[in-house]
């Protein structure tokens, strides 16, 4: 925590604004809108924001929605909430995000068949923006709306602006593992205020104006509480510090591991700022001496938690039946990618311990 979170939470308790209305909510939305340059509404989670975002884009039963395969399930589960059909697209190696060239080929083929999807979604992975210019150009060319999942990329920059603010809808997350957290929660943003107002309406059970309990549309219990909004306000004040900390952690790993062959930091795309929300590395087993899976086991034995890069959706039991364009890059990144301890509170001593264990693993593998 940064310091002011408890003050804002105390304000909520002292004023008795504890539910889904109150000064913290109003202030959080205003402060977040100023930060990213879009209208915003605070919701109970990033997943809820994606769900409402898809509804705002008119996604309905049977509609196809293009989405990256290399992501966390929460990015695409809301497609199934609306009984729509995901179409997965592989990653590019330059950013690990959705490959614009594959998207172009897919849309060109679908246009010939007069069977374009309903919408495109993009996920900005691990703190790095996707290359949005060619994706936006394709969406404009084929008149397709774009939803950006920036849950992992708050604080990142793409050509001078916040990813999540280029498409029709953007989504951010305050989940407990994100770069800043309200323990849970999320934001839906858009340059279109009408869309944001509609999401706010839906998020409180779509209750029509008036003293009676009138409902003409389906609504959801998706609004953030005023208490958690207080935590988010305090966290938002220290976002620049958290971004700096995460980047320092990633680059310290990179520099200290530079002499070890076969372990390489996730690419840092030249078009913006990568927050390095997670410090992700690729393992070349032939050079490092161990596979990613073996290194994870070695670190676990030393009480160091590490994880693979996301398992592609097209390889999951839930999603195997759906079409995937490409997939080899995402599968390779999952097979060789490792996420090292990255918390903003990670001490230099703890990070040195992790680095020493990686050096030890490499040395033992070559003895």
């Amino acid at each position: 925590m940064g310091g002011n979170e408890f003050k804002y939470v105390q304000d909520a308790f002292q004023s008795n604004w504890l539910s889904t209305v109150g000064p913290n909510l109003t202030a959080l939305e205003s402060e977040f809108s100023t930060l990213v340059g879009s209208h915003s509404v605070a919701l109970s989670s990033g997943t809820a924001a994606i769900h409402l975002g898809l509804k705002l884009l008119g996604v309905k039963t049977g509609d196809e929605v293009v989405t990256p395969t290399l992501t966390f399930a929460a990015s695409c589960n809301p497609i199934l909430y609306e009984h729509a059909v995901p179409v997965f697209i592989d990653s590019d190696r330059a950013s690990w995000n959705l490959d614009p060239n594959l998207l172009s080929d897919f849309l060109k083929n679908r246009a010939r068949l007069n069977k374009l999807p309903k919408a495109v979604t993009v996920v900005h992975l691990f703190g790095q923006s996707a290359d949005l210019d060619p994706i936006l150009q394709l969406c404009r060319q084929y008149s397709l709306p774009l939803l950006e999942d920036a849950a992992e990329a708050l604080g990142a920059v793409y050509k001078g602006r916040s990813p999540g603010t280029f498409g029709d809808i953007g989504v951010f997350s305050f989940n407990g593992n994100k770069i800043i957290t309200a323990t849970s929660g999320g934001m839906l943003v858009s340059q279109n205020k009408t869309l944001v107002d509609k999401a706010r309406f839906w998020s409180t059970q779509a209750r029509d104006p008036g003293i009676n309990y009138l409902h003409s549309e389906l609504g959801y219990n998706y609004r953030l509480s005023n208490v958690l909004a207080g935590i988010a306000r305090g966290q938002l004040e220290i976002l620049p510090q958290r971004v700096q900390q995460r980047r320092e952690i990633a680059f310290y790993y990179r520099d200290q591991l530079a002499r070890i062959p076969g372990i390489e930091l996730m690419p840092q795309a030249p078009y913006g700022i990568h927050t390095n929300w997670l410090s992700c590395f690729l393992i070349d087993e032939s050079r490092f001496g161990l596979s990613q899976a073996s290194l994870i086991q070695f670190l676990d034995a030393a009480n160091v938690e590490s994880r693979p890069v996301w398992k592609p959706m097209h390889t999951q039991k839930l999603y195997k039946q759906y079409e995937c364009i490409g997939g080899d890059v995402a599968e390779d990144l999952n097979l060789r990618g490792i996420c090292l301890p990255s918390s903003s509170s990670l001490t230099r001593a703890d990070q040195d311990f992790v680095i020493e264990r990686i050096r030890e693993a490499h040395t033992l593998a070559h003895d």
Side-chain angles (χ1 to χ4, degrees):
M1 296 288 103
N4 284 332
E5 294 89 348
F6 191 53
K7 173 188 176 298
Y8 294 133
V9 170
Q10 281 183 313
D11 290 345
F13 275 86
Q14 289 170 357
S15 65
N16 208 33
W17 289 103
L18 302 178
S19 188
T20 54
V21 290
N24 279 333
L25 267 173
T26 303
L28 173 63
E29 290 175 347
S30 175
E31 291 156 5
F32 198 89
S33 295
T34 298
L35 174 69
V36 302
S38 287
H39 303 287
S40 64
V41 55
L43 302 172
S44 57
S45 68
T47 309
I50 295 171
H51 185 200
L52 294 188
L54 292 172
K55 286 179 65 68
L56 288 168
L57 298 182
V59 172
K60 294 182 174 62
T61 299
D63 288 338
E64 288 188 332
V65 178
V66 173
T67 192
T69 186
L70 188 67
T71 186
F72 181 54
S75 297
C76 48
N77 284 348
I79 298 172
L80 299 191
Y81 296 172
E82 290 302 304
H83 306 285
V85 179
V87 177
F88 297 111
I89 302 283
D90 204 357
S91 300
D92 65 36
R93 291 196 179 275
S95 71
W96 295 14
N97 288 298
L98 184 144
D99 188 331
N101 293 318
L102 290 180
L103 177 63
S104 177
D105 293 342
F106 170 75
L107 293 177
K108 187 182 300 181
N109 291 333
R110 284 304 184 86
R112 292 195 192 104
L113 300 173
N114 196 27
K115 193 184 174 185
L116 286 168
K118 183 69 173 182
V120 174
T121 72
V122 63
V123 183
H124 305 297
L125 286 178
F126 302 120
Q128 176 153 268
S129 175
D131 191 2
L132 286 166
D133 277 353
I135 295 170
L136 285 165
Q137 182 177 353
L138 288 166
C139 287
R140 285 192 291 266
Q141 179 181 344
Y142 294 99
S143 300
L144 297 174
L146 176 66
L147 185 150
E148 296 178 68
D149 179 352
E152 301 175 14
L154 180 59
V157 176
Y158 179 80
K159 297 186 177 180
R161 281 174 55 190
S162 171
T165 64
F166 289 80
D168 298 86
I169 301 287
V171 170
F172 297 87
S173 174
F174 300 137
N175 190 38
N177 66 349
K178 294 302 186 288
I179 196 163
I180 62 170
T181 178
T183 71
S184 63
M187 278 283 186
L188 181 148
V189 306
S190 178
Q191 302 292 339
N192 186 331
K193 185 176 182 297
T194 300
L195 294 180
V196 171
D197 289 342
K198 190 69 171 181
R200 183 179 288 105
F201 172 67
W202 282 340
S203 74
T204 52
Q205 302 292 12
R207 181 181 171 187
D208 293 332
I211 194 169
N212 213 342
Y213 296 94
L214 303 175
H215 301 271
S216 54
E217 297 183 53
L218 179 64
Y220 303 87
N221 184 19
Y222 277 174
R223 192 74 160 119
L224 188 67
S225 81
N226 190 58
V227 175
L228 296 188
I231 301 176
R233 288 186 67 197
Q235 287 279 283
L236 205 60
E237 293 172 355
I238 57 168
L239 176 61
Q241 179 185 343
R242 293 291 178 257
V243 171
Q244 180 182 354
Q245 289 171 318
R246 297 292 179 123
R247 285 171 59 82
E248 287 176 353
I249 288 168
F251 298 154
Y252 186 72
Y253 277 131
R254 177 198 63 191
D255 295 345
Q256 295 301 308
L257 298 172
R259 295 186 180 181
I260 301 177
I263 181 167
E264 184 178 0
L265 181 64
M266 177 182 177
Q268 309 285 299
Y271 46 64
I273 295 176
H274 186 342
T275 68
N276 297 102
W277 166 62
L278 293 184
S279 292
C280 303
F281 285 76
L282 269 186
I283 303 297
D284 181 340
E285 182 178 357
S286 63
R287 298 170 62 217
F288 183 79
L290 289 177
S291 67
Q292 167 239 58
S294 296
L295 178 58
I296 289 174
Q297 291 178 349
F298 184 90
L299 292 173
D300 183 65
N303 199 31
V304 174
E305 183 183 17
S306 60
R307 297 183 184 181
V309 167
W310 300 125
K311 182 172 173 60
M313 289 297 105
H314 75 274
T315 67
Q316 307 268 4
K317 183 178 180 180
L318 175 63
Y319 286 108
K320 276 187 175 180
Q321 62 182 298
Y322 298 105
E323 183 179 4
C324 181
I325 311 304
D328 290 346
V329 173
E331 290 181 37
D332 180 61
L333 293 174
N334 170 249
L335 184 66
R336 298 197 295 122
I338 182 172
C339 305
L340 298 178
S342 310
S343 171
S344 303
S345 61
L346 190 69
T347 67
R348 181 55 56 86
D350 283 341
Q351 192 174 8
D352 284 335
F353 180 83
V354 176
I355 292 164
E356 286 305 313
R357 299 292 74 75
I358 294 172
R359 287 174 176 156
E360 181 183 4
H362 169 70
T363 300
L364 289 174
H366 286 273
D367 281 349

